Amino acid sequence: MMSHNLAAAGSWFERAAADNSREFWAREKQRYADEVRAPFLALLGAVDPDTAAWKVYRPHHDTRFSAEKGVLKTFIGALRIEPDGTGRYLQLDARGVLASSGMPYLAPDQLAQWRAALLDERGEHFVRAVSAAQAAGGTLKSGYPEPLATAPRGVPRDHPRIAWLRWKGVEVFGRLPHPVDDAAARVSAIWSAGEPVGAWLATAVGPSAMERPRR
């Protein structure tokens, strides 16, 4: 039943992408509540009963500050940030379900800690954490800020961890295409795969003292 509901949400987002207008929203608002928000919240509750700890994103873009001028987001997402600075993310869109964990945006104070840790012996521990995450089926990627085009100042371009040193965020993610069977178990498995990287980030980077931006 859950896979059927999630597939209906995928179809809703396909229609929204084709007609991303206020008129579409006026016609489709109730279907959004029934076919998108309700099954998404059901999935969220299945993977984490503490739903109050999650921020569920609004369906509308704030077009004042976005290059995307469509009035609607073509996904629904939710984010949970832990006191140690790590977070988990869940998204439903036309392609399926995406789940990730880590620190997708490193605030300036976290970025300094991230690079310092990668440059000393803690960097070797990160390599092992990445290997463990990948062995469990997770995929490592940079967060949503674009990585630096070159090495950070003072870092040799041939440093063995230079690719990561250029990143401004780090996530372990997995994507489940429609139709999504056993969604809750598979999302939990993706988050579980990211735990070694998350544990390293919590210790080596930690929370930011700065306010997080909106995603």
Side-chain angles (χ1 to χ4, degrees):
M1 185 66 176
M2 178 66 74
S3 62
H4 171 75
N5 286 343
L6 296 180
S11 297
W12 194 96
F13 284 121
E14 288 178 348
R15 298 195 304 276
D19 182 10
N20 200 323
S21 66
R22 289 179 175 82
E23 292 76 16
F24 174 86
W25 176 249
R27 295 193 310 269
E28 295 278 341
K29 183 176 181 179
Q30 186 57 52
R31 291 186 70 175
Y32 176 87
D34 296 339
E35 297 179 5
V36 176
R37 186 174 177 85
F40 179 76
L41 293 181
L43 174 58
L44 186 62
V47 294
D48 186 354
D50 187 14
T51 55
W54 289 78
K55 175 189 174 182
V56 179
Y57 294 0
R58 296 169 294 184
H60 292 86
H61 275 298
D62 187 345
T63 56
R64 297 172 301 167
F65 308 107
S66 174
E68 173 60 62
K69 296 307 178 185
V71 298
L72 300 171
K73 294 183 175 77
T74 52
F75 68 92
I76 184 171
L79 178 67
R80 175 171 180 161
I81 300 297
E82 303 296 342
D84 62 13
T86 62
R88 285 179 287 161
Y89 179 67
L90 184 66
Q91 177 176 302
L92 173 62
D93 58 29
R95 292 191 289 166
V97 172
L98 181 146
S100 66
S101 62
M103 292 183 176
Y105 170 87
L106 292 167
D109 55 340
Q110 292 175 307
L111 187 59
Q113 294 282 5
W114 159 255
R115 289 175 178 162
L118 287 176
L119 287 168
D120 64 27
E121 68 278 359
R122 292 172 293 176
E124 291 299 328
H125 298 296
F126 183 70
V127 173
R128 291 195 285 273
V130 170
S131 295
Q134 292 172 335
T139 301
L140 192 77
K141 72 179 186 72
S142 64
Y144 58 90
E146 287 294 322
L148 289 176
T150 186
R153 183 176 298 178
V155 176
R157 294 189 179 188
D158 61 352
H159 191 281
R161 294 184 285 278
I162 189 59
W164 296 328
L165 285 158
R166 292 171 47 231
W167 287 6
K168 299 178 182 178
V170 57
E171 296 180 277
V172 176
F173 84 103
R175 179 172 280 282
L176 310 174
H178 290 301
V180 185
D181 297 317
D182 301 320
R186 294 170 70 188
V187 166
S188 296
I190 293 168
W191 286 338
S192 179
E195 288 177 358
V197 170
W200 185 92
L201 289 167
T203 301
V205 178
S208 172
M210 303 177 181
E211 183 179 357
R212 296 178 61 88
R214 295 180 180 179
R215 183 165 181 172

